[in-house]
Amino acid sequence: MTKNIVVIGSTNVDKVLNVERYAQPGETLSVDAPQGVKGGGKGANQAIAAARSGAQTTFISKLGTEGNADFMVEGFKEDGINTDSLIWTDKYETGQAYITVEASGQNTIYVYGGANMAMTPADVDQLGEVIGQADTIIAQLEIPTDTIIEAFRIAREHGVKTILNPAPAKQLPEQLIVLTDIIVPNETEAALLSGIEVTDEQSLMDNAHYFFDKGIQSVIITLGDKGSFYASADDHGIVKPQKVTNVVDTTAAGDTFIGALSTRLADDLSNLTTAMAYASKASALTIQTQGAQNSIPTTAQIEAVYGEMN
């Protein structure tokens, strides 16, 4: 059955530089030709990942009317994303991200929130019917927290599953935690939230119990090339990663994982490890291509490499 996914979050215009290595403080380095302007934002990335994995996807985001994001909106439409719930403002520019990608594939990102940070609970209230009809809603922390709380409140009232990607990591208010069904940080974000460094499976369980004690019932922690960890009240484990020998750019790996995951999860999470394995395959393809949104694979591309999946 095709999933109805709503993603609420950020849209950024990415400005990307490729470098051999990062400059030291006070050092000047020359760079090759920049990649130029590309589409980004964690919300946009996750919406594209969900759409390319076959979900009926609606994206809720706030954009500036200055035109910087027009090419992205056209791209959303080409991917089949419902753009009717995009919100426009002439008071702020569309969000922007400045990304430096090292030769190893690692990256650093500096974000200007712009219109993303101007999205309000009142904006969300006008889209209550859209949220209420979804199977799952996904949010990140590149929009105001009170806006996410309002979206998750509406979702909870309608029995819609909520997935929170706490990135960039910051302390979460109780009102948001109690409305979150599944939390999906990476290992760094988990440690920043819990204060427990991830070093082994026991420390992963300690992190999970931190979130359980806060009221979240399901925890997934992505571990990069070590796979992904999951824990619920009655089960836990690690889903092994796909082996990748030619890592090019990790920019959208986590977003791809979350968007792809949401399209395969059963309502009762009974197929959690299968859904995580699918998401891992999607991420493995993402990191082998330069760029963010252009690197996010479709189901057909995933199955061409790894075989047909349920």
Side-chain angles (χ1 to χ4, degrees), residues 6-8 131 134-139 151-152 155 160-164:
V6 168
V7 178
I8 180 168
I131 296 170
D135 295 310
T136 303
I137 183 170
I138 304 170
F152 277 19
V160 177
K161 191 173 298 298
T162 59
I163 298 178
L164 179 66

Side-chain angles (χ1 to χ4, degrees), residues 71-112:
F71 77 99
M72 293 179 64
V73 176
E74 290 305 310
F76 297 156
K77 293 176 180 177
E78 289 174 5
D79 277 314
I81 294 172
N82 182 343
T83 60
D84 292 345
S85 296
L86 293 177
I87 306 159
W88 297 89
T89 178
D90 58 6
K91 295 181 180 178
Y92 301 90
E93 292 186 15
T94 301
Q96 298 173 43
Y98 301 85
I99 302 171
T100 303
V101 182
E102 198 178 37
S104 66
Q106 294 300 313
N107 62 74
T108 59
I109 305 174
Y110 301 89
V111 176
Y112 159 71

Side-chain angles (χ1 to χ4, degrees), residues 6 23 33 39 57 67 70-71 73 85 87 92 116 121 129 147 181 198 207 220 249 307 309:
V6 168
T57 306
D70 289 353
F71 77 99
V73 176
S85 296
I87 306 159
Y92 301 90
N116 293 316
E129 184 175 352
T147 301
D181 293 318
V198 173
N207 268 275
I220 298 173
D249 185 352
M309 288 165 275

